[in-house]
């Protein structure tokens, strides 16, 4: 799978290149407060190819919209784990 600046997208009617995006919902465990949610969001946002991320400690859910040509789900999970939380794809 190609990665980086040369990643394919598509050109919309206005002539702008739009990247293909994907969404993933992750169970994010071990979050105890709003600060935990903010740390998860900031950690994921630092990865290249992230379009948006929201994390909620009460539901233990993190939703990520990302460019699969620039970042993988495993890399997103790895970043969350590296921040001290457990994460897996929600069924």
């Amino acid at each position: 799978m190609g990665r980086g600046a040369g990643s394919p997208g598509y050109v919309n009617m206005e002539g702008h290149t739009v990247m293909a995006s994907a969404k993933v919902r992750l169970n994010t465990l071990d979050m105890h407060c709003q600060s935990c949610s903010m740390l998860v969001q900031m950690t994921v946002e630092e990865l290249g190819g992230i379009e948006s991320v929201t994390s909620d400690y009460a539901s233990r859910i993190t939703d990520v919209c990302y460019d699969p040509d620039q970042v993988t789900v495993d890399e997103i999970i790895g970043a969350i784990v590296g921040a001290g939380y457990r994460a897996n794809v929600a069924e």
Side-chain angles (χ1 to χ4, degrees), residues 12-56:
N12 66 14
M13 293 177 61
E14 291 81 30
H16 299 116
T17 300
V18 178
M19 299 312 294
S21 65
K23 295 180 182 179
V24 65
R25 175 165 278 189
L26 302 171
N27 296 311
T28 309
L29 308 174
D30 304 322
M31 293 192 295
H32 303 289
C33 63
Q34 185 61 33
S35 293
C36 294
S37 295
M38 289 174 47
L39 180 59
V40 168
Q41 284 179 210
M42 289 172 28
T43 299
V44 173
E45 286 171 346
E46 289 177 356
L47 297 171
I50 301 298
E51 296 171 13
S52 67
V53 57
T54 58
S55 185
D56 180 62

